[in-house]
Amino acid sequence: MNYADQDVDSTFLGKIDDIYHQYKLLASIDGKKWEIIADKSVNKTDVPHDYVELATPHKARYIKLENVHMPSGKFALSGLRVFGKGIGKVPEPIKQFMVMRTEKDKRSAWIKWSPVDNAYAYNIYTGLAPDKLYNCIMVHDANDYYYKAMDSQKPYYFSIEAINENGTSVRFPVVKVD
């Protein structure tokens, strides 16, 4: 969870001693009955970027954050991420994947792939060696991407995987583009 500094009403920005955030994190299956899964309502620590790992897994469709105390300004979040796995199947692997490097400007490539029915996003991996695909681009609601970050003098390697709430597919075999 990442709190946001609501500039208009905040009396300070950044890290200051003796300030703290307090909240409760709740989960629900139906959006009506809620269970507290993390209680930081008595916290006395400054946690503008808090990571909470639950002691036991919880099934949930909805997550709710209840503010108890803010050190200054209005309650505002810049991000809330939830990690876990669903109870269904991981997506099928991508069957077709093409990387077409532009001839005129070799710093760019058009990347296209066959969509997967039960995927909501895709991770495109790229790097300078087939075993060093250290860069990752997540693409939502599309099955193409225009990549503009290559050195024009070097070959690049690409792979892709499909993502859903249950996990990731097997990666497509690495593709080299010169």
Side-chain angles (χ1 to χ4, degrees):
M1 172 176 20
N2 295 305
Y3 285 95
D5 291 325
Q6 213 287 343
D7 294 338
V8 175
D9 298 306
S10 185
T11 57
F12 59 84
L13 296 174
K15 196 154 181 74
I16 297 176
D17 293 335
D18 300 325
I19 63 170
Y20 54 93
H21 298 80
Q22 296 176 335
Y23 63 89
K24 293 180 184 178
L25 190 62
L26 299 96
S28 173
I29 297 289
D30 60 7
K32 296 175 184 162
K33 183 181 175 191
W34 293 91
E35 172 189 6
I36 296 173
I37 59 173
D39 187 349
K40 297 251 184 152
S41 59
V42 294
N43 175 59
K44 293 292 185 184
T45 306
D46 181 18
V47 286
H49 309 288
D50 205 8
Y51 174 78
V52 176
E53 187 171 336
L54 303 178
T56 59
H58 288 269
K59 288 185 181 179
R61 181 170 181 200
Y62 304 96
I63 298 292
K64 177 169 54 173
L65 178 69
E66 288 184 358
N67 180 51
V68 175
H69 171 80
M70 286 292 297
S72 178
K74 293 180 181 172
F75 174 69
L77 289 180
S78 66
L80 174 65
R81 294 180 66 188
V82 178
F83 301 93
K85 292 197 175 200
I87 56 175
K89 293 182 178 180
V90 299
E92 292 293 318
I94 291 163
K95 294 184 179 18
Q96 294 179 320
F97 179 59
M98 298 179 293
V99 182
M100 298 163 285
R101 195 166 193 168
T102 56
E103 286 298 320
K104 190 174 182 180
D105 179 4
K106 298 198 75 67
R107 296 174 295 174
S108 305
W110 194 257
I111 304 170
K112 295 184 178 198
W113 58 93
S114 58
V116 175
D117 286 339
N118 63 340
Y120 66 77
Y122 304 90
N123 282 331
I124 301 169
Y125 294 93
T126 183
L128 295 174
D131 60 338
K132 296 179 180 176
L133 304 180
Y134 298 145
N135 298 305
C136 181
I137 303 154
M138 182 180 278
V139 178
H140 289 265
D141 300 322
N143 65 314
D144 63 347
Y145 184 80
Y146 190 60
Y147 184 63
K148 304 179 284 188
M150 295 187 284
D151 182 316
S152 65
Q153 306 302 309
K154 296 180 180 179
Y156 277 76
Y157 298 84
F158 293 85
S159 184
I160 190 169
E161 66 190 6
I163 306 166
N164 71 14
E165 60 277 0
N166 304 303
T168 58
S169 71
V170 173
R171 284 191 194 178
F172 194 89
V174 175
V175 172
K176 179 183 179 183
V177 292
D178 287 310

